[in-house]
Amino acid sequence: NNGAARFLPGRMRLDDLRGAAAHCEGCGLYRNATQTVFGEGPGRAAFMLVGEQPGDQEDRQGHPFVGPAGRVLDRGLREAGIARESVYLTNAVKHFSFTPRGKRRIHQKPTAAEIDACRPWLDAELAVVRPKVVVVLGATAARALLGREFRVTRQRGEPVPLGDALAVATVHPSAVLRAPDRDGAYEGFLADLRTAAEAA
Ligand code: URA
Ligand code: SF4
């Protein structure tokens, strides 16, 4: 398995990319997941938000951020004044990674190899959508886009150049839900989204 590159379509429109990604076997994750969950949003968007990978609900429904993390994200966008029409939403890894435990499917962090394997899809989305601001949600997206030295805990909320765009990293909305001080974590998340809104 040499990653997603050999599954890229000849034509790089979002529809072509989405259609091709549905058949990707660039890493092993396609085997147990229900479907590829590709990014969604306008073909040109001021903001691209990049999460980790689809969760249980996203895997079943086929759309990014439709579960609990998506509700935190929706609230944050609304309160930061970022309009949904100006947002393209995607993930660093396009298939759900999990370990079965009884009837439940326990989310598993994607490995560095899986993140690297899936990056051609993310690069293609960036090339087509050409966002002004990329909001990097958590360590996995940061690893994919900003390199392995980047630390979200230290460098969150600071715009950094990413190609022709600016990237603003923040915590993953799932981490907000898990935080002991959930309100405090949410306020920090919202502050970073406001920084992203101002950077556009
Ligand atoms: N978490 C993510 O990172 N992405 C989703 O699409 C859902 C949950
Ligand atoms: Fe392809 Fe990415 Fe799915 Fe792996 S996770 S099979 S690279 S789309």
Side-chain angles (χ1 to χ4, degrees):
N1 255 324
N2 283 317
R6 69 196 167 94
F7 295 93
L8 287 174
R11 238 188 4 189
M12 300 279 256
R13 294 185 323 187
L14 283 180
D15 286 351
D16 303 313
L17 290 169
R18 183 176 291 108
H23 306 288
C24 184
E25 300 182 0
C27 75
L29 292 181
Y30 75 92
R31 288 200 190 90
N32 297 323
T34 308
Q35 56 193 319
T36 306
V37 180
F38 205 69
E40 290 181 358
R44 276 297 179 90
F47 299 91
M48 181 180 284
L49 272 59
V50 183
E52 180 180 87
Q53 60 174 161
D56 180 76
Q57 286 299 315
E58 289 79 14
D59 173 74
R60 293 174 197 277
Q61 299 181 40
H63 303 290
F65 286 105
V66 291
R71 286 190 280 283
V72 175
L73 187 57
D74 283 343
R75 178 179 165 205
L77 290 173
R78 194 172 63 242
E79 294 184 350
I82 298 176
R84 283 314 289 249
E85 319 79 82
S86 66
V87 171
Y88 184 90
L89 259 186
T90 194
N91 285 300
V93 172
K94 269 55 172 176
H95 275 105
F96 181 37
S97 176
F98 63 94
T99 43
R101 190 175 301 159
K103 284 187 183 167
R104 301 225 303 137
R105 305 190 298 171
I106 308 299
H107 163 271
Q108 274 239 270
K109 245 184 186 315
T111 65
E114 289 159 352
I115 297 167
D116 291 346
C118 212
R119 213 183 36 230
W121 296 121
L122 187 57
D123 289 343
E125 289 173 297
L126 278 167
V128 172
V129 177
R130 297 180 56 189
K132 283 193 198 156
V133 176
V134 179
V135 180
V136 178
L137 300 167
T140 295
R143 157 76 213 228
L145 289 167
L146 302 171
R148 69 174 103 190
E149 302 299 325
F150 190 91
R151 288 294 169 272
V152 174
T153 44
R154 269 191 288 127
Q155 291 164 278
R156 63 183 291 183
E158 279 174 26
V160 293
L162 177 65
D164 296 330
L166 284 174
V168 178
T170 188
V171 293
H172 193 283
S174 301
V176 172
L177 289 172
R178 284 194 309 267
D181 173 15
R182 200 190 277 199
D183 292 345
Y186 176 77
E187 286 309 316
F189 175 67
L190 179 57
D192 294 340
L193 290 182
R194 290 195 163 122
T195 299
E198 281 162 18

